[in-house]
Amino acid sequence: MFLGLDVGGTFTDGVVVADGKIVSMVKTPTTKENLLQCILTVVDKMVEDTGSKAFERIALSTTIVTNAIVEGNIDQVGLCIMSGPGMNLNDILPVAPYILSGYIDHRGREMAQPNKEEVLSACRHFSSCDVFVVSGKFAVRNPCFESAVTDWIQEQVSPMHISAGGKVSGSLNFLRRTNSAYYNGAVWRHFNAFATAVEEALKMRGIYSPVFVLKADGGTLPLSVARNYPVEAIFTGPAASTIGIMGMSGDAAVSGISLDIGGTTTDIALWQKGRPILAKEGAAVAGHVTGVQGFRLKSVGIGGDSLVFWENHVLKVGPMRHGPAMAAGGPKPTVTDAMVAAGFIDFGDRALAIKAMKQLALQGQSPEEMASQVVDKAVNGICQAIADLLDEQAAEPLYHVEEIVYETKFVLENIIGVGGGAAGLVPLVAKKLGISYTLPENGRVANAFGAAVARPTIDITLRADTAEGYYTVPELGIKNRLPRGKFSLQNTYELAEKHLAELAQKNGIFIGETQIIQSEEFNMVRGFTTVGKIMTCRLQVKPGVLQYGKEELC
Amino acid sequence: MLNAQRLGLVFFPAFDWAISPTHPEREERLLYTRDQIVEEGLLDMPAIREYKPKIAKIQDIERVHVGVPDIASLITDAHLVSAGGAIAAADAVMKKEVQRAFALVRPPGHHAMRIVHGTRGFCTINMEAIMIEYLRKSYGIGKVAIVDTDVHHGDGTQDIFYHDPDTLFISFHQDGRTLYPGTGFTNEMGSPNALGTTLNIPLPPGTTDRGLHEVLDHLIMPILGDFKPDIIINSAGQDNHYSDPLANMAITAQGYARLADTLKADIAVLEGGYSIEDALPYVNVGIVLAMAGMDYSKVIEPNIADCPSQSSSVTHYIKDVIKERQDMWGRKEKLQREAIMKHGEFWQTERSIYYDDEGINEQQKERVRLCPHCSGYVIIETKARSSLHYKTAYIGMIPQKACPACLKAAYDVVHTAKKQGNYQHYMVQNKQEDRLDKL
C-alpha cells in the first residue's frame, strides 16, 4: 500500500493505493499555520480506514518550502560567489553576495585561483550566518573551486549547512544555480525542522514507513536526501496531479493537454505521446529564476470557487476566492454557482445557485442567461490560457536547422480533466476546441494519487571533453580523467549510467528505467585538425508511475 | 509600447550546419558563445527577450539576389533560417515589441553579392540585405544606414547597395591590401547616382579599441547624424578581436561592447568572428549587455594581457584616414555632380569576382543608367567558370522606385539580348513589382 498526500492551498488530499487502485480517500482543510496538523489528520484517517500502519511508502507533496519563502520564514545566508568576468549580478540576486576571486571558463579550465584569505574575510563578513552558499560560474564544468571554498568555510566556521550551486543544479546557468542554492540554504533549517517533526510524529504513531517527498519534476526523493535539497520541494502540487493523470490514464497515450481545475486555479500541462512535456527552464521563486526543473505548465486564476463580479460594467471571473460556492453555503456568486444554475452540474442547493445568478444579473436578464454568460467567460478564459501555452511552446527557440525546418507541430488531440471543477468545465472547453475529452474516475484526487505512485528519481549531467582529457559530473562534485583511447557518445552514456547508479545507491533509490533528457556532441577543430570531442549527456531515472511489484522502492 | 523590452535576441547557432567538417564555419562556432550566454543567465533577464528565427521565403531572397541558374539550388536550409533570423529580429523591432534586436545567427552573409553563383567568403546570401529589402517591402522603410564592423570588407553588401542613394553603407575593416577580400578602398564610393553613400574606412593592422573609437566618435557618428537614416543596421562581425586567427586587429570585448553602446543600432546581425573560444563568448555577452542597456563593464577576457597596444604609427595613420574621409563626405555633392557629368547616360564597370569556397571565377560586366528621375536600371552580364561548370546569364535589375522609362527599358534590353542568344539565362529582377522574371 502506498500512501500519497498533497497539501494544497485550501485543502489537503490523501489517498491510499493498493495494486493500483484507490482504497481510501480523505480530504481535510489545510492548516496553513501548522502543516503537520493537516498531514497527521489525513494519515490518522487513513490508518483508521485501512486498519493498517504498514504502508510501503508515504509520499508528501507539500507547500512547506513555498510557504516559507513567500512568508519570509527563511534564514540569513552567507552567499559567496565566484562570478568572474561577465554580467554584473550585484542587484539581480535575492541578497547581496560576497564576491570571491576564482574563475573557471566555459571549457572548465582554471583561469584564476580562489583566495583563502578572501574566503576567511567572507566568513567574518557573514559572522551572523549559520548557513552558507557557494556558487561559481562554470562550476558545472569543474567543481574544484566550489569544493575548495566549501572546505575552507567548513574549516573556519563549521556552519549548520553549506549549499553548493553545482550540486543543487547540474545545468548551465550560473544565475539560476546561484538562486537555487540560495533558496536551498535559506529554507534548509525550516525544512529540516519540518522533516524531523514528520518523522517523530509518525514514529509516535507506530508508523515506520519510509517517507518520500515529491519534486517539481514529478519524481520523489527519500526524506533523508530531501533534507539536503529542500529547494526541490517547491511547486510540487501541479507535478503531483500531472503524475496522477499519468497513472490514471493507464496505457492511453495522451497527446494534448491536461486540465487540473481546482477551487481557485486551473493548471494546464502539455502532453506528447502519453508523457507530460518538461519545461525548458526552471521555476521562478519570489520573482527569482531557479534551476528547479518542472513540467511545462500554465496556471490561470479560474476555478470552481472563483469569485464572479462586475467591475466597471465588465464581468470578471477570479482570480480571487471568497469561500465556497453559494450553492454550498458560501457568501458570494462563483463559477460553480453558474454551472449549477445553467444545469451543467448537480451540486449543493440549486435554489441558492440561482439566487447567486439573480444577484449578478443585469436588468432584464434571467438567472439562466446570467449563468451561461458566466460559464462562457470562464470557458473562454481557460481556452485563452491554452492558446497562450501552445503559442509559448511554438515560440521555443531551437538551435538546429533540422528542428526548425522539419518542426513537428504540437497536435491537440484530447483533454484529460481532473480536479474538483473538471466534471462541469472540461466538456465545455473540449467542445469549444472541437476535441475529445476524458474524465478519469477519481480525478478529484489525481494530486494525492500522483504523490502516492510517483517513482523516485534523480538525474546527473556528464560532460566529457576529450581534448582536455577530463569528464565532470557536477551533482557528484567530480572531475575525473577520461579513460585512455577513443571515447564516443555511447561511452559517455555508459559512464553516465554508472554514475547515476552510484548516486541512486547513495540516495537509496531503486534504479529502473533511465532516460537521456539531453545529449550533445561536438567535434573540436583547432587549425584544420580535429583535436577532440565535447559530449554532454543528462541522464535521469525516468519519472513516472511506480510499477506495482516490479520495482522496489529502495 | 511603453514597457517594451530593450533587446530582442534571435539566437540561432545552427549546431547542425557546416561548410565542411574542419571549416571555420562549422557546428562548433557558436558552442562556447551559447555556453557563456546561457551560463550568464542572459536569457533570463527581463530586459532581453529571446526570439525563434523564422524561415525566409525564396521571394525574400530574390528581392536581393539573382542566383544562376536559380537561388534555391545554391543554398541550404540553414541559409533560409539565418535570413529568417534577421527577418524575425526586424519584425520584433518594427512591431515595437523590443527597442532593438540582435540576430546572433549563422551562416553569415556580408560577402554575398547580387549575382550568386555559389559561396564566397563563407557567404552565399546576404542576411542584412535580405532583411533591409524585407523592411522596405513590409514596413515602407526608406533611408537605411549599414555599419559593417567585421574585420573583412563587406564587399557583398557594398555591391548590393552600390547604386542605391537611400542606403548608406559604411564599412571599417582591416586594409584590403593585407586581408581578404582585398577591396574596400576609399575610392569605392558608389556609382554616380549614389556617390558618397558607400564609405570605406580601411584601418591598419594593429588597430586597438582606442583607434576604433576615434573612428566611431569623429567619423561614423557625425556622418550618421548627417544622413539621418530611418534605421541603423550593424553587420556585427567579431573578427577585429585581438585573438582572431584570420585577421590582425586588436579590439577587445570592451571595445565591441562600447561600439554597440555608442552606435545604438536598431538591428545587429552577426557576421564573422572565428576566435570561437577566446573572443566570441565575451564579445557576444558584451554586445548583448550593451544593446540591452545593461552594465557591461565586467566583461573582460581572461587572457586580456595578450592584447597588444596601439603603435604611434597606427594612431597617426588612423588620424589621417579620419581626416580624408571627413573631407570626402563634405565634398560628396560636388564629386557626384562631376561624376554624372563625366559619365553621360551610363556608368559601367567590368570586374572579376572569385568564389574562394568553390573555386569559381566570375567575369561581370555591369551597366547602370544614370537616370535623372530614379536611381536607374542596371544590366549585368555574368560568366562564371569552375572546374565543374560554365554558367552565363544576362540580367536586368529594376529598382523599387524606378521611373516608367527605366522599367520599360530594362525589359527591352534583356529581350533584345535574348534574341541575340549569347547567354544561357535571361532574367529581370523587378523590385517594383517584387518578382524575378525568367525570360
Side-chain angles (χ1 to χ4, degrees):
Chain A
M1 282 191 303
F2 296 146
L3 192 157
L5 205 143
D6 178 58
V7 179
T10 318
F11 289 103
T12 295
D13 292 298
V15 298
V16 174
V17 179
D19 293 327
K21 299 277 179 305
I22 293 174
V23 294
S24 167
M25 241 194 275
V26 175
K27 193 182 203 78
T28 184
T30 295
T31 48
K32 255 188 192 156
E33 334 56 56
N34 179 9
L35 290 185
L36 188 62
Q37 197 186 323
C38 58
I39 292 172
L40 293 173
T41 304
V42 169
V43 172
D44 288 342
K45 280 190 183 164
M46 302 244 154
V47 169
E48 202 182 303
D49 247 25
T50 58
S52 166
K53 289 178 181 175
F55 304 108
E56 283 156 79
R57 182 178 93 161
I58 296 175
L60 306 175
S61 154
T62 80
T63 49
I64 185 84
V65 175
T66 313
N67 288 355
I69 293 170
V70 170
E71 286 155 18
N73 204 348
I74 53 177
D75 283 332
Q76 236 193 328
V77 167
L79 177 59
C80 304
I81 62 170
M82 288 171 276
S83 48
M87 184 164 76
N88 183 351
L89 284 175
N90 286 358
D91 303 326
I92 295 171
L93 297 172
V95 292
Y98 194 98
I99 296 173
L100 300 172
S101 310
Y103 184 58
I104 303 276
D105 82 349
H106 47 82
R107 287 281 301 287
R109 293 172 299 207
E110 299 177 359
M111 307 306 282
Q113 294 295 313
N115 178 323
K116 193 168 181 179
E117 282 308 310
E118 281 177 15
V119 175
L120 302 186
S121 303
C123 289
R124 284 193 290 276
H125 177 79
F126 291 126
S127 60
S128 60
C129 296
D130 291 328
V131 174
F132 277 72
V133 167
V134 178
S135 184
K137 197 175 280 176
F138 285 114
V140 291
R141 295 280 160 91
N142 181 347
C144 295
F145 289 179
E146 275 189 1
S147 304
V149 172
T150 302
D151 289 347
W152 290 335
I153 295 173
Q154 186 64 41
E155 218 174 86
Q156 181 70 14
V157 287
S158 314
M160 244 168 21
H161 173 77
I162 307 175
S163 287
K167 287 200 176 164
V168 172
S169 160
S171 301
L172 278 185
N173 199 323
F174 174 58
L175 173 66
R176 285 177 180 270
R177 281 199 313 278
T178 305
N179 287 343
S180 291
Y182 165 76
Y183 283 113
N184 198 61
V187 300
W188 185 87
R189 197 172 49 89
H190 189 74
F191 182 83
N192 274 271
F194 169 77
T196 304
V198 168
E199 279 172 342
E200 281 175 0
L202 290 174
K203 213 179 287 171
M204 269 172 57
R205 286 165 167 73
I207 301 170
Y208 298 98
S209 318
V211 178
F212 280 69
V213 174
L214 207 74
K215 296 191 292 177
D217 70 355
T220 58
L221 276 182
L223 188 58
S224 58
V225 178
R227 278 173 177 270
N228 281 323
Y229 298 101
V231 74
E232 293 279 357
I234 52 171
F235 306 123
T236 59
S241 67
T242 306
I243 297 293
I245 291 163
M246 207 190 269
M248 286 175 168
S249 56
D251 293 332
V254 192
S255 278
I257 51 169
S258 62
L259 295 177
D260 179 0
I261 306 182
T264 49
T265 55
T266 294
D267 289 329
I268 310 162
L270 289 181
W271 294 68
Q272 230 157 13
K273 293 177 192 150
R275 299 201 68 87
I277 296 177
L278 285 173
K280 203 177 148 210
E281 300 294 356
V285 184
H288 292 279
V289 294
T290 75
V292 178
Q293 177 85 60
F295 294 115
R296 185 167 248 305
L297 291 169
K298 190 167 197 81
S299 278
V300 51
I302 299 174
D305 293 345
S306 290
L307 182 72
V308 183
F309 60 102
W310 291 95
E311 190 182 84
N312 302 328
H313 309 291
V314 179
L315 185 68
K316 298 270 179 182
V317 173
M320 59 294 252
R321 172 187 191 265
H322 284 189
M326 282 174 70
K332 294 268 176 69
T334 67
V335 172
T336 299
D337 292 318
M339 298 291 294
V340 173
F344 289 115
I345 53 170
D346 193 11
F347 172 81
D349 186 339
R350 183 152 195 266
L352 287 174
I354 288 173
K355 190 177 153 210
M357 289 305 110
K358 260 189 195 151
Q359 266 182 32
L360 279 179
L362 301 173
Q363 223 172 11
Q365 204 178 17
S366 74
E368 287 76 16
E369 282 166 349
M370 186 65 238
S372 88
Q373 193 185 341
V374 172
V375 171
D376 279 353
K377 181 92 189 167
V379 168
N380 287 341
I382 293 170
C383 288
Q384 184 57 51
I386 293 170
D388 291 346
L389 180 59
L390 293 175
D391 284 349
E392 283 168 27
Q393 176 70 16
E396 282 276 273
L398 299 167
Y399 294 165
H400 291 78
V401 178
E402 285 260 320
E403 293 171 337
I404 292 189
V405 176
Y406 304 102
E407 190 178 355
T408 45
K409 294 269 182 295
F410 185 84
V411 188
L412 204 54
E413 281 172 5
N414 52 355
I415 303 182
I416 292 203
V418 297
L425 284 168
V426 167
L428 299 173
V429 171
K431 190 176 165 202
K432 189 169 165 70
L433 297 175
I435 54 176
S436 61
Y437 68 91
T438 41
L439 296 167
E441 200 191 336
N442 296 324
R444 304 174 67 88
V445 290
N447 52 348
F449 182 75
V453 301
R455 183 186 282 159
T457 58
I458 40 164
D459 66 270
I460 58 160
T461 316
L462 191 141
R463 181 173 183 278
D465 182 328
T466 67
E468 289 278 299
Y470 284 97
Y471 74 92
T472 49
V473 185
E475 293 86 349
L476 290 162
I478 58 172
K479 177 182 177 192
N480 290 345
R481 266 208 173 281
L482 280 169
R484 282 176 183 281
K486 198 172 175 288
F487 200 78
S488 68
L489 191 59
Q490 187 56 37
N491 298 134
T492 309
Y493 297 157
E494 286 158 12
L495 196 57
E497 289 278 358
K498 187 186 130 222
H499 283 298
L500 188 68
E502 222 171 82
L503 184 62
Q505 198 187 10
K506 193 170 128 198
N507 288 349
I509 285 176
F510 172 78
I511 191 158
E513 200 180 344
T514 58
Q515 174 187 32
I516 295 162
I517 40 181
Q518 192 201 332
S519 143
E520 276 185 355
E521 179 181 23
F522 285 91
N523 282 326
M524 295 182 62
V525 177
R526 295 297 173 267
F528 284 89
T529 315
T530 304
V531 295
K533 279 179 193 290
I534 291 179
M535 292 169 287
T536 311
C537 147
R538 203 165 146 218
L539 187 75
Q540 70 170 0
V541 176
K542 205 169 174 178
V545 178
L546 279 168
Q547 302 293 310
Y548 303 95
K550 288 183 199 158
E551 287 178 44
E552 294 163 49
L553 281 172
C554 314
Chain B
M1 203 189 297
L2 266 173
N3 47 3
Q5 282 157 308
R6 281 182 283 189
L7 177 66
L9 179 65
V10 185
F11 183 47
F12 182 65
F15 282 151
D16 53 351
W17 179 83
I19 288 181
S20 70
T22 60
H23 193 282
E25 271 301 343
R26 61 179 181 275
E27 295 87 345
E28 187 193 0
R29 184 176 166 220
L30 292 177
L31 173 63
Y32 312 105
T33 295
R34 188 276 313 260
D35 287 354
Q36 195 79 33
I37 286 176
V38 173
E39 177 68 356
E40 295 288 345
L42 283 181
L43 302 176
D44 295 317
M45 289 299 103
I48 299 168
R49 174 168 166 189
E50 189 179 7
Y51 284 86
K52 181 179 177 177
K54 302 183 176 184
I55 302 176
K57 298 185 185 76
I58 290 293
Q59 196 188 13
D60 294 323
I61 301 170
E62 288 184 338
R63 207 171 282 136
V64 172
H65 297 290
V66 177
V68 183
D70 59 76
I71 199 71
S73 63
L74 299 171
I75 59 170
T76 65
D77 286 338
H79 294 98
L80 294 174
V81 180
S82 185
I87 286 173
D91 278 336
V93 171
M94 294 313 295
K95 289 179 180 159
K96 296 198 171 16
E97 292 170 358
V98 291
Q99 286 175 16
R100 51 190 96 254
F102 181 18
L104 186 37
V105 299
R106 50 186 292 269
H110 78 147
H111 295 303
M113 300 184 168
R114 280 163 301 172
I115 308 301
V116 179
H117 288 282
T119 303
R120 57 186 303 277
F122 316 168
C123 305
T124 319
I125 56 172
N126 194 305
M127 310 311 163
E128 291 88 330
I130 291 166
M131 177 180 81
I132 288 165
E133 293 307 327
Y134 171 83
L135 281 168
R136 287 185 163 142
K137 173 83 184 51
S138 307
Y139 299 99
I141 292 283
K143 287 171 86 175
V144 177
I146 307 164
V147 181
D148 187 320
T149 58
D150 190 280
V151 77
H152 303 97
H153 175 228
D155 55 350
T157 315
Q158 171 171 308
D159 173 71
I160 291 164
F161 298 109
Y162 209 64
H163 314 303
D164 178 1
D166 289 331
T167 305
L168 171 64
F169 174 69
I170 302 176
S171 176
F172 71 73
H173 42 263
Q174 185 176 321
D175 195 310
R177 289 169 298 185
T178 63
L179 193 67
Y180 180 88
T183 53
F185 299 106
T186 52
N187 63 346
E188 298 157 29
M189 293 188 292
S191 69
N193 264 351
L195 200 91
T197 59
T198 292
L199 191 125
N200 285 307
I201 310 164
L203 297 175
T207 300
T208 66
D209 292 354
R210 183 180 152 203
L212 168 64
H213 282 278
E214 293 255 312
V215 170
L216 194 61
D217 295 342
H218 301 298
L219 184 61
I220 296 177
M221 296 314 290
I223 287 175
L224 288 174
D226 252 17
F227 185 74
K228 296 186 182 63
D230 297 334
I231 197 162
I232 299 176
I233 311 297
N234 179 201
S235 273
Q238 305 178 349
D239 32 15
N240 283 290
H241 193 264
Y242 65 85
S243 66
D244 197 89
L246 305 184
N248 316 89
M249 303 294 258
I251 307 302
T252 69
Q254 279 295 308
Y256 265 114
R258 202 144 58 82
L259 164 77
D261 197 7
T262 307
L263 190 58
K264 294 204 166 26
D266 297 284
I267 307 162
V269 181
L270 177 70
E271 283 299 337
Y274 300 94
S275 173
I276 61 177
E277 281 202 72
D278 295 336
L280 267 54
Y282 308 101
V283 171
N284 279 306
V285 166
I287 293 176
V288 167
L289 287 174
M291 287 188 80
M294 294 169 69
D295 178 10
Y296 54 83
S297 63
K298 292 180 192 294
V299 185
I300 294 163
E301 300 86 338
N303 63 0
I304 190 77
D306 299 344
C307 181
S309 55
Q310 189 168 295
S311 71
S312 61
S313 62
V314 166
T315 306
H316 284 299
Y317 187 98
I318 292 172
K319 277 211 159 53
D320 291 346
V321 171
I322 292 173
K323 177 91 186 29
E324 188 278 331
R325 299 278 72 196
Q326 285 168 335
D327 286 354
M328 187 289 291
W329 182 256
R331 286 187 299 122
K332 68 176 189 312
E333 282 80 14
K334 183 168 172 281
L335 292 171
Q336 180 171 34
R337 280 193 302 274
E338 287 169 6
I340 291 172
M341 294 270 281
K342 182 176 151 200
H343 286 98
E345 199 186 350
F346 291 97
W347 177 87
Q348 45 196 334
T349 182
E350 241 186 281
R351 59 190 168 144
S352 56
I353 297 161
Y354 184 57
Y355 291 67
D356 53 307
D357 286 290
E358 298 183 51
I360 301 168
N361 270 303
E362 181 191 1
Q363 290 302 320
Q364 221 182 73
K365 264 192 209 168
E366 183 181 4
R367 195 162 83 239
V368 192
R369 178 160 184 250
L370 301 182
C371 174
H373 307 295
C374 68
S375 62
Y377 73 87
V378 180
I379 297 294
I380 296 181
E381 298 163 43
T382 172
K383 297 176 181 174
R385 189 184 294 281
S386 71
S387 55
L388 298 171
H389 303 286
Y390 180 64
K391 296 186 295 181
T392 65
Y394 193 97
I395 297 151
M397 293 179 154
I398 297 162
Q400 203 185 355
K401 291 188 241 167
C403 66
C406 281
L407 178 69
K408 183 171 182 300
Y411 278 100
D412 289 348
V413 171
V414 179
H415 274 295
T416 307
K418 195 177 179 208
K419 274 184 199 139
Q420 291 169 356
N422 295 329
Y423 291 85
Q424 296 163 351
H425 305 280
Y426 299 87
M427 294 180 254
V428 176
Q429 183 193 53
N430 184 339
K431 285 196 188 182
Q432 200 162 66
E433 287 163 29
D434 196 24
R435 62 166 200 262
L436 180 69
D437 293 316
K438 307 204 169 184
L439 304 179

